[in-house]
Amino acid sequence: MEIEQLRRCQPPRLFRPHPNLSDEVNRHLVQSQIEGGVRVEDLVPGSWLQVKTQNTCYRILILLGAMALITGHPLFCPRPVLITIHGSTWGGSMLKMRFIGRGMHLEFHHPDYSTPIVTSPIQEIQELPQCRASEIAVLA
């Protein structure tokens, strides 16, 4: 049997609580796996995300790595703004780096603010069709 066939036959790896983390942190990590989300590094440049939070609907264009253009918030990004995505939090100081997760708060660096922007809880994440280089140029 080939290695790929063996991998498909094995049951999925279940989360094992880390002994050095609190029960609350371990619960949050399990919940993030249940709720789902997307790792930014898994997205190819040109990927579009629509991220609906409790209060706002953002459109995010992944450029390279954690660099992205974001729009949707009337104060912080009424027009596309170049940001760096830090990751998602559960409302505290613990950050799941370069991850956008349902039920979590997106955290990103905005060039006009010294502290990170933290959104309301994410309710839905949807990947939209990729755009062409010419569409990216128009946004920038």
Side-chain angles (χ1 to χ4, degrees):
M1 198 180 269
E2 291 183 26
I3 292 175
E4 193 58 39
Q5 289 175 321
L6 285 172
R7 285 186 188 141
R8 280 189 246 136
C9 294
Q10 294 182 5
R13 291 179 45 204
L14 298 176
F15 177 80
R16 290 190 184 148
H18 193 284
N20 296 334
L21 299 176
S22 71
D23 289 342
E24 180 182 10
V25 170
N26 279 315
R27 268 194 304 278
H28 282 309
L29 291 170
V30 169
Q31 192 63 35
S32 72
Q33 290 180 342
I34 293 168
E35 294 286 337
V38 62
R39 292 177 354 157
V40 175
E41 60 261 17
D42 291 343
L43 299 170
V44 297
S47 295
W48 274 106
L49 295 178
Q50 181 170 287
V51 178
K52 292 182 182 179
T53 69
Q54 186 176 346
N55 300 322
T56 307
C57 181
Y58 296 92
R59 287 180 53 112
I60 301 171
L61 173 62
I62 303 299
L63 298 176
L64 184 62
M67 300 297 292
L69 289 173
I70 190 168
T71 187
H73 192 281
L75 177 62
F76 300 119
C77 50
R79 291 183 296 281
V81 175
L82 182 63
I83 63 160
T84 303
I85 298 171
H86 294 170
S88 296
T89 72
W90 290 277
S93 60
M94 186 173 165
L95 180 72
K96 191 165 183 181
M97 294 182 64
R98 293 178 297 282
F99 181 77
I100 302 171
R102 249 190 313 251
M104 301 175 79
H105 303 260
L106 176 64
E107 180 178 302
F108 59 90
H109 173 261
H110 189 294
D112 296 340
Y113 297 89
S114 59
T115 59
I117 304 297
V118 180
T119 70
S120 57
I122 297 169
Q123 296 178 331
E124 184 181 333
I125 305 161
Q126 181 181 10
E127 187 169 3
L128 304 173
Q130 271 193 318
C131 64
R132 296 179 291 277
S134 60
E135 293 172 305
I136 295 171
V138 170
L139 285 174

